[in-house]
């Protein structure tokens, strides 16, 4: 096995006294783990930061063996870690990919969405802008892993207009007219997830509540649920930013 590609660092764990196992999301080959000799060294620690883009080279004798991995920095997002909300967002976005995606299966849309979300965190003028991108990233990841929501039409009436809720059981949209009498049992569907565009903090909060319900119910269960602590830290920091 020999693979050379650019990739996003999503997870790093200690291995032995000086090495690390890094999980990188590649555009065409999915989530790829590899052993980095000296990964905890002063030279490589700033490279193996979640959110960074690296040039990665994997080598192994067989497909079942953990590959030896060498990395070179392409794009550093380490300066963003000094900003509490941005740091929490990068931690959650990369940890979600590292935890949820199976190894060696191509998810080019997830890679593009993660890269776009990280770029938004880096360049957007405010947290409100990139928070909306993060909700969309969560929604896409659910869909790519087989737990997508049906936001195309009202599950009760078939209408495509004025969709305002989502059923927490079926994951299907519900129109305002059909859902208003049962609003306390439904999840609110923020308009930006249908029409795009900007979102205010209330809409973003609704979006996180919506995706969080299905992430916790369908995807991040049992041992995987531990990663949701990073999401809780992010939401707490966004709530402080929103005032």
């Amino acid at each position: 096995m020999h693979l050379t590609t650019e990739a996003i660092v999503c997870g790093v764990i200690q291995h032995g006294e000086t090495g690390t196992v890094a999980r990188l999301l590649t555009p065409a080959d999915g989530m790829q783990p590899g052993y980095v000799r000296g990964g905890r060294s002063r030279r490589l620690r700033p490279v193996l930061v979640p959110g960074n883009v690296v040039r990665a080279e994997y080598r192994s004798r067989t497909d079942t063996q953990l590959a030896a991995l060498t990395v070179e920095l392409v794009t550093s997002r380490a300066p963003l870690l000094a900003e509490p909300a941005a740091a929490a967002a990068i931690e959650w976005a990369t940890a979600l990919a590292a935890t949820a995606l199976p190894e060696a299966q191509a998810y080019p849309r997830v890679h593009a969405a993660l890269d776009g979300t990280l770029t938004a965190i880096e360049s957007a003028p405010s947290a409100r802008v990139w928070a909306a991108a993060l909700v969309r990233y969560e929604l896409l990841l659910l869909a790519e892993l087989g737990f997508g929501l049906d936001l195309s039409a009202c599950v009760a009436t078939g209408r495509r207009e004025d969709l305002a809720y989502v059923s927490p059981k079926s994951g299907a949209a519900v129109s305002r007219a059909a859902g208003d009498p049962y609003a306390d049992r439904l999840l609110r569907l923020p308009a930006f997830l249908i029409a795009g565009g900007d979102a205010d903090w209330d809409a973003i909060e609704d979006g996180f509540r919506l995706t969080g319900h299905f992430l916790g119910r369908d995807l991040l269960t049992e041992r995987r649920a531990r990663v949701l602590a990073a999401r809780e830290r992010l939401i707490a920091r966004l709530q402080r930013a929103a005032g």
Side-chain angles (χ1 to χ4, degrees), residues 124-134 198-202 204 238 241:
S126 70
R128 183 172 57 83
V129 176
W130 58 251
L134 189 50
D198 293 337
D200 61 22
W201 283 115
D202 287 341
I204 290 168
L238 288 176

Side-chain angles (χ1 to χ4, degrees), residues 187-235:
L187 296 163
R188 286 194 291 271
L189 173 59
F192 78 93
L193 291 181
I194 298 290
D198 293 337
D200 61 22
W201 283 115
D202 287 341
I204 290 168
E205 186 174 353
D206 287 341
F208 276 121
R209 188 176 296 110
L210 174 64
T211 52
H213 171 80
F214 293 100
L215 285 171
R217 189 192 73 176
D218 298 327
L219 191 58
L220 302 176
T221 59
E222 298 177 350
R223 292 178 61 186
R224 288 180 171 184
R226 289 180 292 188
V227 76
L228 288 170
R231 190 176 192 269
E232 293 170 1
R233 287 192 293 271
L234 166 63
I235 291 174

Side-chain angles (χ1 to χ4, degrees), residues 3 7 24-32 58 101-108:
L3 172 65
L24 312 183
L25 182 58
T26 71
D29 296 277
M31 188 65 66
Q32 292 284 347
Y58 293 86
L101 295 178
E103 293 179 1
Q105 294 188 29
Y107 289 97

Side-chain angles (χ1 to χ4, degrees), residues 16 25 29 48 51-53 57 108 113 116 135 166 186 201 210 221 226-227 237:
L25 182 58
D29 296 277
L48 293 171
N52 282 358
V53 178
E57 183 174 7
V135 175
V166 173
L186 301 173
W201 283 115
L210 174 64
T221 59
R226 289 180 292 188
V227 76
R237 289 179 181 177

Side-chain angles (χ1 to χ4, degrees), residues 10-16 18-23 34-36 39-40 48 50:
C10 289
V12 181
I13 60 173
Q14 179 179 339
H15 189 282
T18 62
T20 58
V21 173
R23 292 173 62 80
Y35 173 71
V36 183
R40 299 173 62 206
L48 293 171

